């Protein structure tokens, strides 16, 4: 049996690189021989799109797991990348808040579903840009929160709110939950503001900020329209290289034994 670790890729702010990080970090970890499951927790279904799954093939996914106790094993899709599987999302997920409103275990549905899943090293949950019942399910099931942070003016305000939420969940529903790291995304070293925000975030959180930064790179934004991780679309671009570095840094912290 493999000891799995579960991470919420989370930031309530929209468009900061959660999905891009989930896809490319997941792909890079799979390339290091880790068995990885990615779960799309967002009604927008960007993770599913980015991995080339058309809407017609998303009929059974995270919605069924959260609302009708369907088993993860019955909702899995293999991707074209070895060691990388996916659970998709579709817009049924928009109704989940109301559908679960009267059930006592509504925040623990995903945690329960993942208890029986033992064939992955890492499970990454691509959260929507909100703090709602979906993100609560993700945090309740996770060992760690992985926070992509776009280096811009309001980043720190949103971050302190998110850290408060993580603390409150770890002192109530899930004592395992920790901040596993903040990753700076869409970083532009020529922009003084990016550099200033990096200084502030590192000053505030120290070692909780990954040394690896993800640069702004057009190839990272082109890849999803081809239904491919950037690492497959163009493995030599600066964005792909940064995600490979991030995966190595992340896996090292996890004590991963590289072959
Ligand atoms: N490092 C990068 N360089 C250039 N473009 C990027 C980079 N990271 C992400 N993008 C682009 O920025 C947009 C937002 O990224 P992404 O979808 O990963 O963010 P998100 O946090 O998942 O968004 P949402 O909150 O809507 O789920 C996308 O168009 C993506 O392709
Ligand atoms: Mg997203």
């Amino acid at each position: 049996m493999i000891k799995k670790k579960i991470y919420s890729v989370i930031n309530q702010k929209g468009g900061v690189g959660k999905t891009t990080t989930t896809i490319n970090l997941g792909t890079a970890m799979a390339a290091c021989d880790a068995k990885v499951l990615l779960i799309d927790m967002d009604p927008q279904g960007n993770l599913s799109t980015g991995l080339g799954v058309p809407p017609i093939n998303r009929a059974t996914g995270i919605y069924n797991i959260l609302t009708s106790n369907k088993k993860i094993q019955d909702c899995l899709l293999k991707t074209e990348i070895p060691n990388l599987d996916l659970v998709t999302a579709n817009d049924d997920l928009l109704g989940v808040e109301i559908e679960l409103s009267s059930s006592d275990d509504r925040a623990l549905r995903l945690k329960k579903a993942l208890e029986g899943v033992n064939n992955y090293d890492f499970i990454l949950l691509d959260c929507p840009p909100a703090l709602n019942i979906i993100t609560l399910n993700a945090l309740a099931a996770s060992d760690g929160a992985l926070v992509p942070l776009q280096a811009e003016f309001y980043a720190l305000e949103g971050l302190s709110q998110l850290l408060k939420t993580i603390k409150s969940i770890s002192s109530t529903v899930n004592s395992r939950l920790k901040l596993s790291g903040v990753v700076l995304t869409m970083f532009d070293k020529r922009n003084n503001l990016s550099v200033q925000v990096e200084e502030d975030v590192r000053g505030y959180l120290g070692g909780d900020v990954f040394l690896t930064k993800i640069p702004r790179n057009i190839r990272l934004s082109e890849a999803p329209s081809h239904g491919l991780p950037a690492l497959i679309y163009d493995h030599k671009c600066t964005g792909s290289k940064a995600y490979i570095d991030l995966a190595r840094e992340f896996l090292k912290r996890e004590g991963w034994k590289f072959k």
Side-chain angles (χ1 to χ4, degrees):
M1 195 175 99
I2 298 176
K3 191 177 170 346
K4 63 176 185 276
K5 285 282 201 88
I6 305 168
Y7 295 93
S8 292
V9 182
I10 190 162
N11 190 331
Q12 75 278 16
K13 196 161 177 359
V16 296
K18 294 180 286 295
T19 304
T20 306
T21 297
T22 307
I23 294 184
N24 292 298
L25 177 61
T27 303
M29 292 198 302
C32 292
D33 286 321
K35 299 213 174 317
V36 181
L37 173 64
L38 305 182
I39 304 185
D40 193 345
M41 304 284 297
D42 187 347
Q44 297 177 106
N46 293 157
L47 178 68
S48 310
T49 307
L51 284 165
V53 182
I56 192 158
N57 293 343
R58 297 181 204 167
T60 314
I62 188 65
Y63 170 78
N64 311 82
I65 291 164
L66 295 178
T67 59
S68 49
N69 295 324
K70 205 156 175 81
K71 287 199 163 138
I72 303 249
Q73 288 87 337
D74 298 329
C75 302
L76 286 176
L77 291 183
K78 297 247 164 249
T79 70
E80 289 177 24
I81 295 125
N83 295 332
L84 190 72
D85 292 348
L86 169 71
V87 170
T88 62
N90 61 27
D91 56 13
D92 288 342
L93 208 48
L94 288 167
V96 101
E97 189 93 41
I98 293 166
E99 283 182 59
L100 292 182
S101 61
S102 61
S103 86
D104 289 339
D105 70 342
R106 62 182 172 276
L108 302 175
R109 295 291 180 101
L110 181 64
K111 178 181 160 57
K112 286 184 184 155
L114 285 170
E115 274 163 9
V117 178
N118 291 312
N119 46 338
Y120 294 99
D121 297 299
F122 299 102
I123 299 176
L124 302 183
L125 312 172
D126 182 25
C127 293
L131 293 174
N132 59 19
I133 194 65
I134 300 173
T135 35
L136 198 52
N137 264 274
L139 290 172
S142 291
D143 298 285
L146 197 65
V147 180
L149 191 81
Q150 191 180 343
E152 57 174 19
F153 184 60
Y154 293 113
L156 280 175
E157 281 177 29
L159 183 63
S160 59
Q161 176 63 40
L162 179 57
L163 296 181
K164 259 188 226 153
T165 304
I166 292 169
K167 254 198 197 133
S168 104
I169 291 185
S170 65
S171 62
T172 53
V173 288
N174 178 11
S175 58
R176 289 188 351 257
L177 182 70
K178 293 190 176 62
L179 173 68
S180 358
V182 171
V183 55
L184 293 165
T185 59
M186 293 182 242
F187 194 82
D188 179 356
K189 62 178 187 245
R190 291 161 307 181
N191 180 333
N192 288 338
L193 190 55
S194 271
V195 175
Q196 185 60 51
V197 170
E198 176 181 12
E199 240 178 77
D200 291 351
V201 176
R202 290 196 193 280
Y204 179 41
L205 289 174
D208 285 335
V209 186
F210 286 97
L211 297 173
T212 309
K213 293 172 276 189
I214 309 300
R216 190 172 278 286
N217 175 228
I218 189 87
R219 305 297 265 173
L220 288 176
S221 56
E222 286 168 3
S225 65
H226 298 269
L228 292 171
L231 269 93
I232 305 294
Y233 176 63
D234 179 355
H235 70 278
K236 287 188 175 150
C237 70
T238 58
S240 292
K241 285 187 174 153
Y243 275 111
I244 292 167
D245 289 347
L246 181 66
R248 296 192 72 85
E249 186 181 354
F250 182 84
L251 288 171
K252 228 182 243 170
R253 283 191 187 194
E254 292 295 319
W256 181 253
K257 293 197 173 55
F258 293 90
K259 278 187 186 158

